[in-house]
């Protein structure tokens, strides 16, 4: 059973990346264009408004890049940082815990994107199409050839 789960891991990670990226991009589209219910119950955020409009741009662009698997680690790092900023600047001053201050989405997105920074895009990523002809990096080969530790 472990072998099957290990074989499916890149695909599960790819599906996780796609879903998280799409959900994040939807937040940005709602804030920028007033679609899907709009920003905070309706409408859109005026262009150039700090920090909301800039956060929405990061959400739309970063979420789209993550969903497609293009520059996943960089886009996920920027997206994670924007959600950490949102949590600590907007939500945390209201109350200590995310459940109390309405910051659960910010906290979950922050940690989900941070996970993608360290795991990479998984399967089904466009990055893999563009890197097939490129030689492997040393750290990728070292990770694959690491000796197994048995106890």
């Amino acid at each position: 059973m472990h072998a099957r789960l290990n074989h499916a891991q890149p695909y599960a990670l790819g599906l996780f990346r796609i879903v998280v990226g799409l959900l994040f991009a939807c937040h940005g589209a709602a804030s920028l264009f007033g679609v899907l219910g709009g920003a905070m119950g309706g409408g859109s955020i005026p262009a150039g408004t700090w920090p909301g409009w800039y956060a929405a741009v990061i959400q739309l662009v970063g979420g789209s890049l993550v969903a497609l698997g293009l520059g996943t680690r960089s886009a996920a790092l920027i997206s994670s940082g924007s959600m950490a900023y949102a949590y600590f600047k907007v939500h945390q001053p209201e109350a200590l815990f995310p459940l109390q201050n309405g910051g659960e989405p910010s906290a979950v997105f922050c940690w989900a994107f941070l996970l993608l920074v360290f795991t990479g895009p998984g399967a089904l990523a466009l990055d893999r199409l563009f890197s097939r002809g490129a030689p492997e990096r040393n750290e990728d080969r070292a990770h694959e050839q690491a000796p197994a530790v048995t106890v």
Side-chain angles (χ1 to χ4, degrees):
M1 180 158 143
H2 289 293
R4 284 187 181 181
L5 291 174
N6 287 340
H7 181 70
Q9 184 178 0
Y11 299 100
L13 183 59
L15 185 60
F16 173 79
R17 172 188 47 78
I18 291 167
V19 170
V20 169
L22 283 175
L23 290 173
F24 201 57
C26 286
H27 276 276
S31 297
L32 290 173
F33 308 120
V35 297
L36 305 169
M40 295 184 239
S44 61
I45 296 174
T49 305
W50 177 259
W53 186 82
Y54 295 95
V57 170
I58 290 171
Q59 290 168 357
L60 181 62
V61 174
S64 298
L65 289 172
V66 167
L68 293 170
L70 283 171
T72 303
R73 289 181 182 210
S74 300
L77 181 65
I78 292 167
S79 298
S80 177
S82 78
M83 288 296 96
Y85 178 85
Y87 181 77
F88 287 110
K89 191 71 174 173
V90 177
H91 298 287
Q92 200 276 328
E94 300 296 320
L96 181 60
F97 296 109
L99 186 61
Q100 296 172 314
N101 63 31
E104 288 174 284
S106 297
V108 170
F109 276 125
C110 177
W111 286 104
F113 284 122
L114 191 62
L115 176 67
L116 289 171
V117 170
F118 288 97
T119 61
L124 311 171
L126 291 180
D127 275 344
R128 297 194 184 270
L129 291 176
F130 297 124
S131 66
R132 287 199 179 197
E136 292 184 50
R137 296 187 315 235
N138 288 336
E139 60 265 20
D140 289 342
R141 281 183 288 181
H143 180 269
E144 291 173 2
Q145 297 174 358
V149 178
T150 57
V151 179

